[in-house]
Amino acid sequence: MKKLTILSAAVMLSLTAPVAMAKVSEAEAAKLGTELTPLGAVMAANADGSIPAWDKGITSAPAGYEKGMHHPDPFPNDKVLFTITNANKAQYAEFLTPGQVKLFELYPDTYKMNVYETRRTASVPQYVYEATKANAVNAELVSNGNGVSGASIGVPFPIPSTGLEVIWNHILRYRGVDVETYRSQASPTKSGSYTLIETAEEIRFEYSRPEITLDKLAETNTLFFFKQVVRQPARLAGTALLVKETMDQEALPRQAWTYNTGQRRVRKAPNVAFDTPGTVSDGLRTTDDFDMFNGSPVRYNWELVGKKEVYIPYNDYKLHSDALEYDQILKPGHINPEYARWEKHRVWEVKATLKDGMRHIYKTRVFYIDEDSWQVSLTDMYDNRDELYRVGTAHSINYYEVPTHWSTLEIFHDLQSRRYLAMGLDNEGRMYNFDAKLSEANFTPDALRRAGIR
């Protein structure tokens, strides 16, 4: 793959030992908003102009949009520039990942990528930009990289020098403050049949609250609260999960509870982490695959490989549309490629290698993180034989009423079973509510019990 030359030698370092310091100088931080975007991406276009300069992203909703609607495509007249298939993939190899190449090979007759004009639409509120600049000179890794201090609201390390800083940027990126989501997931069989799993989720982001202070974050050691309740099918309805995610996971690991409808009991669930199978995922993803990566990074060494230009899912408003039904999207082997939009963007490549003495079903994971939003866009997962095991793709949009750039659909391909899990289906359901008012009282074991009772 083509490497850019904008990285210093320091950027190529990997985190293989305890790290306590990650601050940058005031002079370096002054590049944010000038040479770099306020979140740390390269402001300028690439050499051939196929990636344009960042122009503040989407700053307002399209005409006719009202909160509560599915998000109309801001670019309805964009046409496919070209299509990548198994037959011509070699022509575009420098901009493809090993996982993408493998999908072409597994599904040579049906898998393809429709590539569109690149539009750098990622944006967040102004207060997040301001917080990010403050974080740049104050944030640091603590607890051997298993936590962050000196940061709030914005990206902690907008000018990163290690792979672990980049993955913390993904974990701590802005996704709103109080959010209610209504989503579905499905894991089609080889024939394409599937059972739809409907969930209702509530998230209270402590880290992102405009009023949050560093002292408060240090006192509570809380990144976010998360509650998920399964609504359908009937046999699973009422199954519920509660998570308190911590900022410093060495000082206090993730706290989790589950509600079992058969026993009508709430139980602590310390195993809801790492490679425990994800909730109702049919064994097709791990717990830490959720949101492409979440939770403690402690089991891996993190290497910052560099920056690349890669075709990633972006501005997937067509895939997000309420004009589609799930049967139109979910097909044998992979989702319907006619509805997915791919664009060339610059991404950070981060390689995670399992530490000696640690256990995980993924020995190696390679993440491709969008430079504009810090969203993990693609991930390749390798098993203990060093063979490609799973491939993840995050199809994202700008939720312009916030604004925030976040996935609308995440796909996890299991290459061995030739099945996949589609998470975040919302075409036939209600849209996210970013104006929810969620108190900490929404996220107690008692609240979980009440939410889970059928």
Side-chain angles (χ1 to χ4, degrees), residues 131 146 156 189 204 210 214 257 294 321 331 338 381 404 427 453:
N146 207 27
T189 64
R204 176 182 163 97
L214 294 178
W257 298 261
N294 73 90
S321 172
K331 300 298 180 183
E338 295 296 346
M381 293 84 92
T404 180
N427 310 75
I453 293 174

Side-chain angles (χ1 to χ4, degrees), residues 70-71 182-184 291 313-321 329 339 375 393-399 405-411 422-427 431-432:
H70 280 67
H71 299 74
Y182 314 94
R183 310 192 299 172
S184 297
D291 193 37
Y314 223 88
N315 294 312
D316 265 303
Y317 292 94
K318 184 185 294 185
L319 188 59
H320 169 82
S321 172
I329 297 172
Y339 302 120
Q375 162 83 53
T393 62
H395 298 263
S396 59
I397 65 171
N398 185 314
Y399 294 86
H405 185 92
W406 196 1
S407 60
T408 179
L409 185 63
E410 296 177 3
I411 309 295
M423 295 179 56
L425 293 159
D426 56 20
N427 310 75
M431 190 33 51
Y432 291 11

Side-chain angles (χ1 to χ4, degrees), residues 15 19-25 28 135-142 145 147-149 156-162 164-166 168-169:
L15 183 70
V19 170
M21 187 170 182
K23 302 174 183 179
V24 301
S25 68
E28 282 290 295
N135 292 344
V137 297
N138 292 307
E140 56 187 349
L141 297 168
V142 296
V148 175
S149 69
F157 309 111
I159 306 175
S161 59
T162 69
L164 192 47
E165 291 172 19
V166 172
W168 271 110
N169 286 349

Side-chain angles (χ1 to χ4, degrees), residues 303-320:
E303 176 190 355
L304 185 54
V305 178
K307 236 179 196 180
K308 294 180 171 67
E309 297 176 2
V310 176
Y311 295 118
I312 62 176
Y314 223 88
N315 294 312
D316 265 303
Y317 292 94
K318 184 185 294 185
L319 188 59
H320 169 82

Side-chain angles (χ1 to χ4, degrees), residues 78-83 113-117 318 338 340:
D78 282 5
K79 305 297 183 184
V80 177
L81 298 179
F82 54 89
T83 299
M113 292 167 51
N114 288 329
V115 179
Y116 290 76
E117 175 183 351
K318 184 185 294 185
E338 295 296 346

